[in-house]
Amino acid sequence: MGEHKRIGILTSGGDCAGLNAAIRAVVHRAVGTYNWEVMGIFRSTQGLMSRPPHAMLLDRNQVDTTLTLAGTMLGTTNRGNPFAFPLPDGTFSDRSSEIIEGYHQLGLDALIGIGGDGSLAILRKLAAQGGINLVGIPKTIDNDVGITERSIGFDTAVNIATEALDRLQFTAASHDRVMILEVMGRDAGHIAISAGIAGGAEIILIPEIPYTIENICRKIKERQDQGKNYSVVIVSEAVRTETGEVVESSVSFGERRYGGIGHYLAERICACSGAETRVTVLGHTQRGGTPSPLDRLTASAFGVAAVDLIAEGHYDQMVTWQNRQIVTVPITEAIGKYQAVDLNGTLVKTARGLGICLGD
Ligand code: F6P
């Protein structure tokens, strides 16, 4: 059975569907198989900064009904890098030593961090500085973490975007309109290209492929000439204007977010094709909802494998999904390889093969 351990688990960065399934799997494996203790740490590293550290023991009863719940029962944050933590007076302070001390105060033998590339990079830096035995689990709706074919949350986000396209097709056809769906994904177009193909979009715009309004309108006109007076466009939030400007929307706590490219396109498409246009911005709905079976399954497999890594004493590693199975890689390797949409990959080829306009 091995020695008794007390491990911590936290979720970091933007939430997504499937995080609770991963927490559940970690608790079942650690408590059920190894008879260890699991401390759930609240609000990511902020829980370790609190005094006393903000955490609680998790038992199997607490996670029994969480498999199908979106969000994260531990809370999370995607603000406040602890190495340059924003203070109310506008200055920044390095709070890394408080986090490390929090980990040791809890008497933890290891920490499982569930995060995207940004969060995992921060956790890794903390681990190296403070002797934290870290194991990473990848999650992000953006699907941009390198090496792994799957990250928790992506599949659910694609399902939600696909369902939105399914709905837009009918209203587009009924009103002879061009409907534009703006989806998340930060700097990568994975959600847009996957949902765009699955949801039958006529035009898919992703940040990896430059476009012109002329090309988009040519496609719309081509369809009009065939008697199809409607079209559905899906666009990633990070797609820039035709002249290369970033389109940003909200500013909160000094941080900017992508948003608005759908409305930019709507005006120009209307002007050049004469089509009536409408815009739907899917926003944070892509992070909620019931986790898809695939996300639950991925999260469960990742959770079990992460605990097994700790049992084997393998740290600074991340679990990934490759060729139908879990493969363990050093965290640096995964976060060092940003995963954009592959321009020569199957999805781009499939879209082109279907006659979908990619704007180029
Ligand atoms: O990284 C996940 C993500 O949902 C991105 O797709 C999006 O750009 C961003 O987070 C939104 O962040 P926030 O929740 O801070 O608005």
Side-chain angles (χ1 to χ4, degrees):
M1 180 60 60
E3 65 186 289
H4 179 266
K5 287 190 195 298
R6 171 182 275 205
I7 66 170
I9 180 167
L10 58 78
T11 47
S12 194
D15 76 323
C16 62
L19 294 174
N20 287 322
I23 297 167
R24 173 180 174 272
V26 164
V27 172
H28 275 289
R29 186 63 163 169
V31 179
T33 307
Y34 297 109
N35 205 19
W36 298 346
E37 288 177 312
V38 179
M39 296 293 290
I41 297 159
F42 292 102
R43 301 199 64 227
S44 182
T45 48
Q46 295 196 16
L48 292 173
M49 272 181 212
S50 307
R51 290 297 173 270
H54 191 196
M56 70 181 279
L57 271 179
L58 296 175
D59 63 34
R60 279 175 289 174
N61 289 337
Q62 278 157 307
V63 295
D64 252 3
T65 53
T66 55
L67 183 63
T68 56
L69 301 180
T72 161
M73 62 186 284
L74 297 175
T76 186
T77 177
N78 61 356
R79 285 192 287 115
N81 173 357
F83 292 94
F85 195 81
L87 299 177
D89 64 2
T91 60
F92 295 90
S93 94
D94 180 352
R95 301 191 63 182
S96 54
S97 57
E98 294 167 56
I99 294 168
I100 292 162
E101 196 188 301
Y103 168 87
H104 293 296
Q105 272 187 18
L106 287 174
L108 299 177
D109 296 299
L111 176 68
I112 294 179
I114 310 180
D117 53 357
S119 308
L120 290 174
I122 289 172
L123 290 173
R124 201 178 168 263
K125 202 168 157 192
L126 288 165
Q129 187 178 311
I132 295 174
N133 292 324
L134 177 68
V135 167
I137 295 182
K139 68 89 219 170
T140 167
I141 67 164
D142 305 335
N143 203 28
D144 55 0
V145 177
I147 313 229
T148 185
E149 286 158 16
R150 294 186 194 168
S151 286
I152 300 170
F154 173 66
D155 186 63
T156 305
V158 170
N159 285 356
I160 292 166
T162 303
E163 191 192 326
L165 287 177
D166 292 348
R167 291 169 189 233
L168 289 173
Q169 291 283 357
F170 290 99
T171 177
S174 304
H175 285 268
D176 292 339
R177 283 174 173 163
V178 172
M179 304 300 279
I180 299 167
L181 179 69
E182 181 181 314
V183 294
M184 283 185 166
R186 219 158 247 165
D187 297 297
H190 296 288
I191 296 178
I193 192 138
S194 298
I197 294 170
E202 281 76 37
I203 298 157
I204 302 175
L205 302 176
I206 57 175
E208 292 86 347
I209 300 181
Y211 69 94
T212 65
I213 298 286
E214 199 189 332
N215 290 342
I216 297 171
C217 288
R218 188 177 310 118
K219 175 72 179 178
I220 291 167
K221 286 203 176 113
E222 200 181 285
R223 284 176 55 79
Q224 287 166 344
D225 292 345
Q226 294 162 356
K228 294 173 196 152
N229 281 327
Y230 70 96
S231 294
V232 173
V233 181
I234 184 166
V235 58
S236 287
E237 59 178 359
V239 166
R240 297 184 172 205
T241 66
E242 230 189 344
T243 47
E245 282 103 42
V246 174
V247 186
E248 290 176 325
S249 63
S250 61
V251 184
S252 60
F253 298 96
E255 297 197 13
R256 303 192 66 86
R257 290 287 182 267
Y258 289 124
I261 186 66
H263 287 96
Y264 165 88
L265 291 170
E267 268 183 38
R268 277 140 193 99
I269 290 173
C270 176
C272 86
S273 70
E276 196 182 354
T277 53
R278 291 289 187 275
V279 182
T280 303
V281 180
L282 217 41
H284 291 80
T285 60
Q286 292 158 99
R287 302 223 301 239
T290 305
S292 70
L294 186 60
D295 269 333
R296 291 182 219 175
L297 190 150
T298 306
S300 301
F302 280 170
V304 168
V307 174
D308 287 348
L309 276 178
I310 296 172
E312 291 155 12
H314 292 148
Y315 303 116
D316 201 16
Q317 304 287 309
M318 188 183 93
V319 291
T320 67
W321 195 280
Q322 295 177 40
N323 297 323
R324 297 173 168 241
Q325 50 199 329
I326 301 266
V327 176
T328 302
V329 301
I331 297 177
T332 40
E333 236 178 72
I335 60 180
K337 276 204 181 124
Y338 182 75
Q339 186 164 288
V341 171
D342 179 359
L343 297 185
N344 299 309
T346 298
L347 293 190
V348 170
K349 281 186 189 152
T350 303
R352 293 198 196 283
L354 290 168
I356 295 171
C357 167
L358 298 178
D360 57 349

